Amino acid sequence: MKGLLVSALVLAGYVISVAIAARLIHVERKMTLYMWLFAIWIPVYFIVYLATPPHVWILPEPWSRVPWKLDLAYGFVVFALNVNNSMDVFFGLNEGFSTCLLLEIHRGGPRGLTTDELTAIFRSPAGTDKIYAWRLPRLEASGYLVIDPATGTCRLTGKGLWLARMAWAGKRILNLGPGG
């Protein structure tokens, strides 16, 4: 039980440090910041765990009888999974396209926005659609696809094909419909 309590305490520190660092440090990819901070907080978890007594000043004695190595490992796994969950929440809120649409409609006030107004928001100064103009080059830069400059045709790389097949299999297993 001590591992779980230490895990929650260190997770709170991690989340606060991410919030502060994200405001103070500009990085192009937020995932880099999250992973660096996670790496910093890993030893903090172990130090706090080893520096506190088995009962953590509040636990009943019977709850402290778990083998300490098992409790240490359990707490660390819970910490790591919760760090992953916090990243999922961030990326879902911050980079999800549906969330971006909802925020833009909210900014439109009680009147809302027409589909033409929404589409205009996601156009670049060159007139291209930011949805495709941003995502496709990003997928190409990440090595998931190649774009033929002459025709604009997109083809999957080995990496992209592997991911597409994994997504297809996952959707089949979960019995999900078509779409992204």
Side-chain angles (χ1 to χ4, degrees), residues 27-32 34 87-101 103 122 134-135 138:
V27 292
E28 186 166 328
R29 297 193 62 173
K30 294 286 188 197
M31 180 62 98
T32 304
Y34 298 146
M87 285 187 240
D88 286 344
V89 167
F90 168 78
F91 285 110
L93 290 175
N94 186 52
E95 296 186 5
F97 182 63
S98 296
T99 304
C100 291
L101 287 172
L103 288 172
F122 291 99
W134 177 83
R135 288 182 183 192
R138 182 88 165 191

Side-chain angles (χ1 to χ4, degrees), residues 2 15 20 22 33-34 65-66 68 75 77 80 96 102 104 107 128 132 137 148 152 155-156 160 164 170 174:
K2 171 184 169 179
V15 170
I20 292 169
L33 178 67
Y34 298 146
R65 292 186 191 150
V66 177
W68 75 270
V77 169
L102 294 173
E104 290 301 332
R107 287 184 190 118
T128 59
Y132 295 107
D148 183 334
R155 289 189 177 77
L156 294 176
L174 297 173

Side-chain angles (χ1 to χ4, degrees), residues 31-165:
M31 180 62 98
T32 304
L33 178 67
Y34 298 146
M35 294 310 292
W36 275 106
L37 287 170
F38 177 54
I40 290 168
W41 281 94
I42 289 172
V44 172
Y45 169 80
F46 289 102
I47 290 167
V48 170
Y49 186 93
L50 296 171
T52 54
H55 54 78
V56 198
W57 304 287
I58 59 169
L59 292 176
E61 193 270 326
W63 290 10
S64 304
R65 292 186 191 150
V66 177
W68 75 270
K69 289 180 183 178
L70 177 65
D71 190 45
L72 175 77
Y74 169 72
F76 178 71
V77 169
V78 169
F79 169 63
L81 291 174
N82 280 325
V83 165
N84 181 62
N85 289 343
S86 70
M87 285 187 240
D88 286 344
V89 167
F90 168 78
F91 285 110
L93 290 175
N94 186 52
E95 296 186 5
F97 182 63
S98 296
T99 304
C100 291
L101 287 172
L102 294 173
L103 288 172
E104 290 301 332
I105 293 168
H106 177 67
R107 287 184 190 118
R111 170 185 79 78
L113 295 175
T114 66
T115 53
D116 289 337
E117 290 170 323
L118 268 176
T119 305
I121 291 169
F122 291 99
R123 290 223 185 278
S124 72
T128 59
D129 185 332
K130 287 183 184 178
I131 300 162
Y132 295 107
W134 177 83
R135 288 182 183 192
L136 291 176
R138 182 88 165 191
L139 288 169
E140 184 178 37
S142 300
Y144 292 102
L145 57 85
V146 291
I147 303 171
D148 183 334
T151 64
T153 304
C154 300
R155 289 189 177 77
L156 294 176
T157 62
K159 183 178 175 181
L161 184 60
W162 179 83
L163 186 62
R165 286 180 177 158

Side-chain angles (χ1 to χ4, degrees), residues 160-179:
L161 184 60
W162 179 83
L163 186 62
R165 286 180 177 158
M166 293 298 294
W168 177 84
K171 288 173 71 80
R172 293 281 309 233
I173 290 167
L174 297 173
N175 196 28
L176 300 174

